[in-house]
């Protein structure tokens, strides 16, 4: 692949890393399902992904979305995959097409249209009857996408089927069929978890890693398959992913065995948990730090490709398309909601994990060409097992001359304590480096990558206890580092170091200690070499953005989500004018950016700002008390049906102003079991309660300004067999009787702002 067959102008593979234009890179791919997102919002969401350091967007081609009736495939509107590929290219993103035909994705029939699911064939095999069904679908995809594939295309990979464990010959058949229809890319992939048997040399094996999941029982403990991802390891298989579906018709079942990366290909992932979907019986809620910890560990483990599922959430395009008990699955998923608690939620709003991940991605963009060449090494002293909460978790990636120490001391569910008296002794070709100068305590929540023998601008840094973020170039390079909360910042170098008086000290020769309560700029000079260090305190780390979509790498500070438009101008969608500052290396300081509101809709007035105001609510209409159970399948609780919601739900009508001052969202603070929003009597959105607020993109759902809105909330019975996150579970325990509250509903109207 990519070298002798299906060569590409930019992308190729070695057995250790991916090359982009002949340069080693570590790509970052994020999943966004175009058919779950309105076409009018594709561009902005893709650009927000790009501002998070994502370089590749992955997407399923969900067959049931396109061809519910045999012989009538549709690629119109939100289903226009060719337009999506072109939109991604305009946003500076390459594309991975996950063409199936079976995808899962928490979709009914795993994405098969009903007429395919019901066909009397051996699904997902080389049964001629099954291939007769698949061939026209691939032909239809080829008609749409073949003109966009090829040597210069931004389509750089195609995934065949998904979670297929025991049909390597069928994967090879699908690859041949795809290529025959013009679906050509330099890289073909297949998921490798669960000990999957793959056609040797035909596909790049891809792995995953979720720190929690909905697919275990409600009373199940934090499963070992989740817990292992908070440790550094060289075993890439995750046998837990999809394990609950291996008894589902059409899915083979086999024993899981640990699987190491192929000797022929780099270690690569496509499903690091960017969040987690919510099932009725189990509602995981990974924090931004948990998501970042798993991703960080994979980099330390030697990842050559960081791939997230999901990176941008969405909404199912029609009723009844979700995985559910009614269609034979062990889990009931929301009918519409596919927010996934992703870095970019279903409404298009950035969440906490975006900040934590984008710092890692900026690091990969700046140093991936070095890191890709460095294999991973684990220390001699490793944690004894997944219950070990005392042994520090760390790993080394090094080429022998230089390297990076990765430290992750973060996990959910099981509390950790600070690790005292930590000092590393790392042996490379030139000898052993011991750092920091004196042992330190590593606080809970530390996620760090510290450099060893890093050379930049003719200056040599022996080590630094702060994490490099990016490099800015002017007359001489500026290395941007982010301090870790509670970790003293020290650096060792033979260079002369100058900085603000009182913030820089020299406790011993060649070692510099820095106070990083505020932004600090240091100047280093070593012979003719010069290097500027910009140290960012941990307190403002989540406000840092590194943007490079406009062709020049830019460092910004903004509490609001920002992205670059087609002209490279900084944009933000906020109620009020965003406060955005840009660092100018030549001046050594941050300066304010001038921004102005953009009229993105015909009825918006550019002179007006957005607003947030309480929605007008009617008095509630109460239903009958909820039962403790709505049924079950395979021991897992079933979600209430629409009839149940109508019978047991408490309802409010919501009145909104008819004038408009920006893109519209509802922000709902609520407590209960299940909520549904109706527009003019039609259900358009739903949510299972997990203690978080619910943000609904009214424009994303195509809801008219004058629509009559009704919110229905079903109370949560105290004996309902559902697993809740800790805070939600505590509130449930503190309440006697069914749990129900509507605490607030706000309308948020946010126009688009653009750099002047």
């Amino acid at each position: 692949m990519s070298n002798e067959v299906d060569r590409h102008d930019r992308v190729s593979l070695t057995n250790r890393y991916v090359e982009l234009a002949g340069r080693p890179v570590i790509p970052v791919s994020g999943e966004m399902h175009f058919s779950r997102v309105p076409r009018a919002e594709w561009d902005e969401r893709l650009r927000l992904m790009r501002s998070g350091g994502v370089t590749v967007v992955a997407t399923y081609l969900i067959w049931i979305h396109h061809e519910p009736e045999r012989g009538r495939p549709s690629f119109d509107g939100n289903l226009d995959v060719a337009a999506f590929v072109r939109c991604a290219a305009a946003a500076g993103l390459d594309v991975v097409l996950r063409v199936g035909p079976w995808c899962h994705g928490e979709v009914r029939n795993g994405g098969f249209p009903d007429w395919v699911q019901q066909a009397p064939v051996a699904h997902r095999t080389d049964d001629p009857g099954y291939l007769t069904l698949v061939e026209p679908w691939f032909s239809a995809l080829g008609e749409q996408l073949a003109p966009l594939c090829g040597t210069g295309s931004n389509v750089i990979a195609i995934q065949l089927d998904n979670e297929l464990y025991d049909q390597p010959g069928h994967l090879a058949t699908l690859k041949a069929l795809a290529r025959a229809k013009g679906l050509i890319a330099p890289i073909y992939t297949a998921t490798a978890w669960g000990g999957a048997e793959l056609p040797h040399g035909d596909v790049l094996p891809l792995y995953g890693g979720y720190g929690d999941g909905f697919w275990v029982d409600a009373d199940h403990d934090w499963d070992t398959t989740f817990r292992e991802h908070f440790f550094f390891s060289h075993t890439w298989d995750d046998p837990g992913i999809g394990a609950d579906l291996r008894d589902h018709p059409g899915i083979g079942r086999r024993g899981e065995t640990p699987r190491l990366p192929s000797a022929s290909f780099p270690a690569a992932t496509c499903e690091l948990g960017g969040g987690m979907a919510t099932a009725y019986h189990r509602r995981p809620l990974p924090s931004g730090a948990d998501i970042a910890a798993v991703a960080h560990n994979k980099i330390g483990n030697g990842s050559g490709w960081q791939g997230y599922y999901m990176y941008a959430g969405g909404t199912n395009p029609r009723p009844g398309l979700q995985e559910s008990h009614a269609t034979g699955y062990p889990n009931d998923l929301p009918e519409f909601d596919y927010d996934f608690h992703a870095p970019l939620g279903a409404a298009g709003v950035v969440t906490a994990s975006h900040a934590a991940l984008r710092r890692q991605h900026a690091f990969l963009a700046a140093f991936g060409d070095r890191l890709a060449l460095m294999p991973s090494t684990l220390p001699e002293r490793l944690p004894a097992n997944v219950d070990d909460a005392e042994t520090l978790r760390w790993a080394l990636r090094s080429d022998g001359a230089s390297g990076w120490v990765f430290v992750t001391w973060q996990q959910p569910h099981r509390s950790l304590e600070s690790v005292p008296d930590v000092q590393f002794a790392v042996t490379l070709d030139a000898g052993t480096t011991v750092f920091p100068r004196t042992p330190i305590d590593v606080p809970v929540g530390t996620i760090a990558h510290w450099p060893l023998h890093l050379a930049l601008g003719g200056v040599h840094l022996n080590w630094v206890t702060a994490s490099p973020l990016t490099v800015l170039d002017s007359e001489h390079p500026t290395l941007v580092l982010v301090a870790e909360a509670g970790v003293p910042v020290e650096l060792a170098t033979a260079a002369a170091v100058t900085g603000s008086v009182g913030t820089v000290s020299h406790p011993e020769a060649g070692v510099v200690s820095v106070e990083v309560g505020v932004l600090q700029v240091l100047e280093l000079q070593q012979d003719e070499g010069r290097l500027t260090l910009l140290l960012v305190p941990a307190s403002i780390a989540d406000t840092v953005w590194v943007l490079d979509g406009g062709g020049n790498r830019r460092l910004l500070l903004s509490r609001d989500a920002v992205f670059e438009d087609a002209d490279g101008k900084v944009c933000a969608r906020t109620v009020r004018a965003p406060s955005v500052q840009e660092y100018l290396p030549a001046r050594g300081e941050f300066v304010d950016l001038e921004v102005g509101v953009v009229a993105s809709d015909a009825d918006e007035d550019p002179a007006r700002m957005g607003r947030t105001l309480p929605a007008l609510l009617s008095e509630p209409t109460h239903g009958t008390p909820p039962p403790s159970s709505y049924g079950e399948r395979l021991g897992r609780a079933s979600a209430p049906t629409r009839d149940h919601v109508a019978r047991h739900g408490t309802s409010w009508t919501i009145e909104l102003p008819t004038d408009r001052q920006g893109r519209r969202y509802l922000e709902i603070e609520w407590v209960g079991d299940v909520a549904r929003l109706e527009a003019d009597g039609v259900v358009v959105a739903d949510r299972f309660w997990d203690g978080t607020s619910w943000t609904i993109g009214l424009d994303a759902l195509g809801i008219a300004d004058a629509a009559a809105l009704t919110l229905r909330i079903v109370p949560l019975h105290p004996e309902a067999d559902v697993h809740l996150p800790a805070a939600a579970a505590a509130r449930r325990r503190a309440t006697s009787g069914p749990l129900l509250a509507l605490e607030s509903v706000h309308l948020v109207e946010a126009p688009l702002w653009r750099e002047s």
Side-chain angles (χ1 to χ4, degrees):
M1 288 187 294
S2 79
N3 296 299
E4 297 178 6
V5 179
D6 299 328
R7 292 174 61 91
H8 194 271
D9 290 346
R10 294 178 295 117
V11 177
S12 60
L13 282 174
T14 76
N15 67 328
R16 292 174 55 198
Y17 51 83
V18 179
E19 285 188 338
L20 186 65
R23 174 176 168 264
V25 295
I26 299 179
V28 177
S29 59
E31 191 96 5
M32 170 180 160
H33 299 154
F34 64 92
S35 58
R36 282 170 158 158
V37 175
R39 183 170 179 169
E41 298 190 13
W42 286 351
D43 182 70
E44 188 168 316
R45 298 199 191 190
L46 288 168
R47 292 183 183 278
L48 280 168
M49 292 176 68
R50 187 72 190 89
S51 75
V54 172
T55 60
V56 184
V57 60
T59 191
Y60 277 137
L61 280 297
I62 301 175
W63 194 355
I64 194 173
H65 288 184
H66 292 268
E67 196 178 4
E69 296 182 43
R70 185 172 187 175
R72 301 181 64 183
S74 173
F75 297 95
D76 296 331
N78 298 345
L79 302 177
D80 191 341
V81 62
F84 179 76
V85 170
R86 289 192 292 267
C87 190
L93 294 167
D94 287 325
V95 176
V96 175
L97 298 172
R98 304 179 82 184
V99 299
W102 191 90
C103 64
H104 190 197
E106 288 68 65
V107 184
R108 186 174 87 223
N109 308 330
F112 284 156
D114 292 340
W115 55 269
V116 174
Q117 180 72 13
Q118 295 162 7
V121 298
H123 295 84
R124 305 175 71 194
T125 72
D126 278 352
D127 179 344
Y130 174 65
L131 295 178
T132 297
L133 301 176
V134 172
E135 190 273 339
W137 169 235
F138 274 27
S139 291
L141 293 181
E143 291 175 5
Q144 299 295 316
L145 293 166
L148 300 176
C149 296
T151 57
S153 170
N154 67 320
V155 177
I156 64 167
I158 293 174
Q159 180 182 303
L160 305 164
D161 209 271
N162 189 60
E163 299 177 344
L164 188 60
Y165 301 97
D166 58 357
Q167 295 290 324
H170 180 56
L171 291 173
T173 298
L174 290 177
K175 178 177 177 178
L177 182 58
R179 293 183 73 252
K181 302 302 181 181
L183 300 172
I184 295 174
I187 302 172
Y188 291 83
T189 73
T191 53
W193 52 77
E197 298 174 9
L198 305 180
H200 179 71
D202 270 351
V203 293
L204 170 66
L206 296 180
Y207 301 91
Y210 293 94
D212 207 340
F214 67 82
W215 47 80
V216 296
D217 292 339
D219 60 354
H220 198 80
D221 194 14
W222 187 32
D223 194 80
T224 298
T225 61
F226 302 140
R227 299 172 69 178
E228 287 175 340
H229 295 297
F230 293 91
F231 294 77
F232 292 97
S233 166
H234 290 161
T235 298
W236 287 83
D237 195 8
D238 183 339
I241 304 176
D244 60 331
L245 295 188
R246 289 176 206 161
D247 285 331
H248 186 70
I251 300 176
R253 183 173 180 84
R254 52 168 286 119
E256 294 86 356
T257 55
R259 185 187 180 100
L260 299 176
S262 165
S264 302
F265 297 112
T269 60
C270 66
E271 289 201 20
L272 300 178
M276 181 46 58
T278 303
Y280 181 73
H281 75 283
R282 190 176 183 95
R283 309 174 188 186
L285 184 61
S287 70
D290 297 335
I291 292 166
V294 171
H296 190 254
N297 284 2
K298 299 307 176 184
I299 301 174
N301 293 349
S303 173
W305 187 316
Q306 292 286 95
Y308 298 91
Y309 188 100
M310 299 287 294
Y311 207 88
T315 303
N316 290 330
R318 296 188 303 278
L321 290 174
Q322 82 282 14
E323 171 182 327
S324 71
H325 288 178
T327 54
Y329 284 82
N331 314 299
D332 259 345
L333 274 290
E335 190 169 15
F336 292 98
D337 182 64
Y338 203 66
D339 177 85
F340 215 85
H341 295 298
L344 189 58
V349 177
V350 164
T351 66
S353 57
H354 195 279
L357 290 176
R358 70 175 180 260
R359 292 198 297 274
Q360 295 181 21
H361 304 159
F363 162 66
L364 294 179
F367 297 99
D369 58 340
R370 306 182 187 205
L371 191 66
L373 303 174
M374 297 177 174
S376 170
T377 303
L378 302 180
E380 290 185 6
R381 185 188 176 199
L382 294 171
N385 50 49
V386 295
D387 294 316
D388 189 334
E390 297 180 356
T391 306
L392 186 65
R393 303 161 193 175
W394 67 282
L396 171 72
R397 287 188 70 167
S398 172
D399 58 7
S402 62
W404 305 84
V405 169
F406 291 84
V407 181
T408 304
W409 194 238
Q410 166 68 32
Q411 68 179 27
H413 305 307
R414 301 289 187 271
S415 61
L416 299 172
E417 301 291 338
S418 294
V419 183
D421 302 323
V422 172
Q423 196 173 39
F424 300 92
V426 179
T427 301
L428 302 180
D429 293 345
T432 299
T433 298
V434 178
F435 78 103
R437 177 179 56 90
T438 57
I440 62 171
D441 293 347
V442 174
V444 177
T446 298
I447 300 174
H449 47 270
W450 294 334
L452 292 174
H453 300 293
L454 176 63
L456 276 174
V459 173
H460 185 92
L461 298 173
N462 295 340
W463 50 263
V464 184
T465 55
S467 295
L469 175 74
T470 192
V471 177
L472 307 173
D473 289 315
S474 56
E475 292 184 9
H476 59 271
T478 296
L479 173 62
V480 185
L481 303 108
V482 177
E484 276 73 48
V487 176
V489 174
E490 288 188 337
L491 61 98
T493 179
V497 182
T498 57
S500 302
V501 176
T503 61
V504 175
S505 59
H506 300 264
E508 64 181 47
V511 177
V512 178
S513 179
V514 187
E515 290 289 335
V516 194
V518 295
L519 289 158
Q520 297 287 353
V521 178
L522 308 183
E523 296 293 340
L524 282 65
Q525 184 152 359
Q526 186 173 10
D527 300 326
E528 299 301 315
R530 288 186 61 196
L531 176 66
T532 298
L533 299 185
L534 174 62
L535 287 160
V536 178
S539 60
I540 64 169
D542 284 354
T543 70
V544 175
W545 300 75
V546 180
L547 306 184
D548 59 9
N552 297 314
R553 187 175 290 164
R554 306 174 69 179
L555 179 70
L556 306 178
L557 294 180
S558 174
R559 295 192 180 279
D560 296 305
V562 295
F563 61 93
E564 289 178 295
D565 67 10
D567 298 320
K569 297 292 187 179
V570 175
C571 298
R573 185 171 294 282
T574 61
V575 172
R576 302 285 178 181
S579 174
V580 185
Q581 295 180 302
E582 180 174 9
Y583 185 75
L584 301 182
R587 293 170 53 176
E589 62 179 356
F590 281 91
V591 299
D592 293 332
L593 286 186
E594 296 293 330
V595 296
V597 72
V598 176
S600 57
D601 296 297
D603 57 347
E604 287 181 3
D605 181 353
R608 300 162 73 185
M609 292 193 291
R611 60 188 178 182
T612 300
L613 66 163
L616 295 177
L617 301 176
S618 68
E619 289 297 316
T621 300
H622 298 282
T624 61
S628 61
S629 172
Y630 301 95
E632 58 89 23
R633 175 177 168 79
L634 300 177
R636 296 180 181 179
S638 299
T641 64
R642 289 192 176 199
D643 287 343
H644 290 135
V645 173
R647 186 180 314 136
H648 304 296
T650 296
S651 63
W652 294 260
T653 60
I654 302 173
E655 185 177 341
L656 303 179
T658 55
D659 62 325
R660 163 186 290 272
Q661 296 186 21
R663 185 172 291 172
R664 293 186 151 195
Y665 307 88
L666 280 183
E667 290 186 349
I668 303 174
E669 299 293 340
W670 67 290
V671 180
D673 187 10
V674 172
R676 290 184 180 240
L677 181 70
E678 300 173 8
D680 294 328
V682 177
V683 179
V684 294
D686 60 349
R687 188 85 159 187
F688 297 161
W689 183 67
D690 57 15
T692 61
S693 59
W694 185 16
T695 300
I696 303 173
L698 297 179
D699 295 335
L701 296 177
I703 297 174
D705 292 349
L709 300 182
T710 300
L711 177 67
R712 299 185 193 275
I713 301 177
V714 177
L716 178 62
H717 193 282
E719 297 177 10
D721 189 17
V722 299
H723 181 277
L724 296 172
R731 181 159 185 176
R732 181 188 190 183
R733 289 193 299 271
T735 304
S736 60
L739 188 60
L740 172 71
L742 180 59
E743 296 173 340
S744 67
V745 180
H746 282 88
L747 173 68
V748 178
E749 294 182 320
L752 185 67
W753 301 79
R754 185 176 188 267
E755 176 185 3
S756 302

